[in-house]
Amino acid sequence: MNFSNILQTVLIYALPVLFAITVHEAAHGYVARHYGDNTAARLGRVTLNPFKHIDPVGTILMPLMLYFATSGAFLFGYAKPVPVDFGALRNPKRDMVWVALAGPASNFAQAIAWALLMLVLVGSGVQERFFLEMARAGVLVNLVMWAFNLFPLPPLDGGRILVGLLPWKQAQLVSRIEPWGFFIVLALVLAGVVGTLWLRPLMALGYGAINLLLAPLIALLA
């Protein structure tokens, strides 16, 4: 195990990960406030201050331990969830979809921003590996968060979106999964189901969409 390489990788990913989780959680709170729920705003969670969203165990300790233990082969972590009182939303079932969608949407927007930064760096002749790798990491981290959080099982954002879109009877059935949802998702991740059947196809779609969006700039810099 090369600790020097691992440390460099941690430093490269640190800033993209902090931005990814901070903007993701703040986006949930901002959209919830827009639709009538001030819970997150009252608790100071509608903010870009990363310390308000970091969970010491889920955001720092667990990912670092897994990274060093598996030499980067497996990572898993979570941020401190933004509290949302769905009953306080003006139209709970409909607005729940927009609140849940805000987090993954913010990650996809950040992935585009990091990809744009990488193109600007390359186009400007910057050859510093650290900054180029950080930009690539920013795209990767945000696409992973975008795709993973869209997995259609509560308590992930995709599960809440599904609950908001389904008819009441089916929505109630899906909602009952939530207390065990985290453990089900973790089991599916460890079994490779989420990675093979969900993350890889969706991330390939995400990379394709970003390349399509930035195609004019790529052609200009070619």
Side-chain angles (χ1 to χ4, degrees):
M1 182 184 293
N2 190 322
F3 284 98
S4 176
N5 288 343
I6 290 176
L7 181 60
Q8 187 177 42
T9 302
V10 169
L11 292 174
I12 286 170
Y13 277 83
L15 193 61
V17 168
L18 275 179
F19 272 120
I21 64 171
T22 299
V23 178
H24 178 106
E25 296 300 336
H28 283 313
Y30 177 81
V31 175
R33 183 177 64 181
H34 175 76
Y35 285 108
D37 175 33
N38 291 315
T39 306
R42 285 198 307 270
L43 295 172
R45 297 295 304 279
V46 185
T47 176
L48 294 180
N49 178 358
F51 295 103
K52 292 286 186 177
H53 306 291
I54 288 173
D55 182 281
V57 175
T59 312
I60 300 173
L61 186 61
M62 180 186 290
L64 282 176
M65 286 179 64
L66 286 172
Y67 188 89
F68 282 105
T70 66
S71 297
F74 178 73
L75 277 179
F76 190 81
Y78 53 88
K80 192 187 301 179
V82 163
V84 178
D85 180 1
F86 293 105
L89 299 172
R90 286 190 285 273
N91 186 326
K93 198 166 184 301
R94 180 201 66 194
D95 298 343
M96 176 195 303
V97 174
W98 296 112
V99 173
L101 192 60
S106 75
N107 289 124
F108 195 80
Q110 288 180 82
I112 295 172
W114 282 107
L116 185 59
L117 174 62
M118 184 162 60
L119 285 178
V120 170
L121 290 173
V122 172
S124 302
V126 174
Q127 296 181 348
E128 174 56 52
R129 178 180 171 271
F130 182 84
F131 296 114
L132 293 174
E133 289 298 322
M134 182 179 288
R136 288 191 187 95
V139 178
L140 175 62
V141 164
N142 279 286
L143 282 183
V144 168
M145 284 192 65
W146 165 71
F148 182 73
N149 279 285
L150 285 177
F151 190 74
L153 194 70
L156 295 178
D157 297 325
R160 298 196 188 281
I161 293 168
L162 183 62
V163 169
L165 293 175
L166 286 173
W168 277 106
K169 188 174 182 180
Q170 288 83 354
Q172 287 177 331
L173 289 173
V174 175
S175 294
R176 291 175 186 171
I177 299 172
E178 183 154 349
W180 304 279
F182 176 82
F183 302 103
I184 295 172
V185 171
L186 184 57
L188 291 174
V189 168
L190 292 173
V193 174
V194 173
T196 303
L197 300 181
W198 184 262
L199 277 183
R200 289 178 190 170
L202 207 56
M203 286 182 66
L205 185 65
Y207 275 114
I210 291 173
N211 285 333
L212 188 63
L213 285 169
L214 299 182
L217 182 58
I218 294 171
L220 187 64
L221 294 173

